[in-house]
Amino acid sequence: NDSELLVVTNNHVVAGSDTLTVTFADGTSVEANIKGTNSEYDIAVVAVPLDSISDDTMKKISVATLGDSTQLKVGEPAIAIGNALGYGQSVTTGIVSAKNRKTDASGQIEGDSTDNSSSINKGVNLIQTDAAINPGNSGGALLNMDGEVVGINSSKLASTEVEGMGYAIAISDVADSL
């Protein structure tokens, strides 16, 4: 907007924080505030005052284009962007493995017999992808091949029986939940 740069991330990324720092791709860091949260959807909006961002950094920022996650097709390529393990920007690719995955009241992915799924996103429509969603990717973007944000990386299923099951909150639901 006219005074803030708004960033969508996960509620579990910012929960319990007294202060926030946003670091841009050029290495510049600025303080930010939580603008709003929705713990049910595990979504948060972080606000960075525009006057705290240098002109050089601002010129390098591109506003993401939101896609329509309802139009995703199983088998469609997907790109997950995040900060895996805190090493800095990471990008992984995969496919959309399923749409409209839901968790039950315990956070268990419906249809999964293991007990290792996330306790977040209860009842939320999730996009399942085999693009790696590792610790640190939470709050990052899941993109389609047009570079549009179709999901917010949120959780993964991890066990010795399963590999490559990451979940993103459908962006069409995110827009409705804020």
Side-chain angles (χ1 to χ4, degrees), residues 72 75-80 92-96 142-150:
L72 282 176
E76 183 176 334
I79 302 167
T92 59
T93 61
I95 62 167
V96 173
L142 184 70
L143 306 173
N144 63 18
M145 288 296 102
D146 292 326
E148 299 169 331
V149 178
V150 292

Side-chain angles (χ1 to χ4, degrees), residues 41 69-70 100 124-127 150-152 168-175:
Y41 276 79
S69 58
T70 66
N100 301 317
V124 175
N125 282 331
L126 300 173
I127 301 163
V150 292
I152 303 298
I169 304 161
I171 199 67
S172 296
D173 291 343
V174 168

Side-chain angles (χ1 to χ4, degrees), residues 11 13 21 37 63 81 83 88-90 94 107 114-115 118 127 134 150 161 171:
N11 182 64
V13 170
T21 302
T37 64
V63 175
I81 298 176
N83 182 13
Q89 185 174 341
S90 64
T114 63
D115 191 27
S118 173
I127 301 163
N134 293 305
V150 292
E161 295 87 22
I171 199 67

Side-chain angles (χ1 to χ4, degrees), residues 2-170:
D2 292 338
S3 61
E4 303 166 312
L5 175 67
L6 301 174
V7 179
V8 177
T9 189
N10 292 128
N11 182 64
H12 78 263
V13 170
V14 301
S17 298
D18 293 328
T19 61
L20 296 176
T21 302
V22 172
T23 303
F24 298 101
D26 68 358
T28 303
S29 295
V30 297
E31 291 203 18
N33 302 304
I34 298 172
K35 182 90 170 181
T37 64
N38 183 325
S39 60
E40 178 184 341
Y41 276 79
D42 190 31
I43 293 296
V45 175
V46 173
V48 180
L50 288 177
D51 60 8
S52 69
I53 304 171
S54 73
D55 289 341
D56 287 341
T57 298
M58 198 65 197
K59 289 177 190 172
K60 297 174 186 172
I61 295 173
S62 297
V63 175
T65 301
L66 300 183
D68 182 354
S69 58
T70 66
Q71 297 301 309
L72 282 176
K73 295 183 180 14
V74 172
E76 183 176 334
I79 302 167
I81 298 176
N83 182 13
L85 303 177
Y87 292 141
Q89 185 174 341
S90 64
V91 178
T92 59
T93 61
I95 62 167
V96 173
S97 304
K99 293 173 42 176
N100 301 317
R101 290 284 197 227
K102 289 200 185 282
T103 58
D104 64 19
S106 70
Q108 186 78 16
I109 300 295
E110 291 178 359
D112 174 41
S113 60
T114 63
D115 191 27
N116 296 308
S117 58
S118 173
S119 62
I120 57 178
N121 304 128
K122 294 177 184 80
V124 175
N125 282 331
L126 300 173
I127 301 163
Q128 180 182 325
T129 181
D130 69 343
I133 308 291
N134 293 305
N137 282 74
S138 293
L142 184 70
L143 306 173
N144 63 18
M145 288 296 102
D146 292 326
E148 299 169 331
V149 178
V150 292
I152 303 298
N153 302 331
S154 184
S155 59
K156 70 175 188 168
L157 182 67
S159 74
T160 56
E161 295 87 22
V162 165
E163 188 175 318
M165 292 180 75
Y167 298 94
I169 304 161

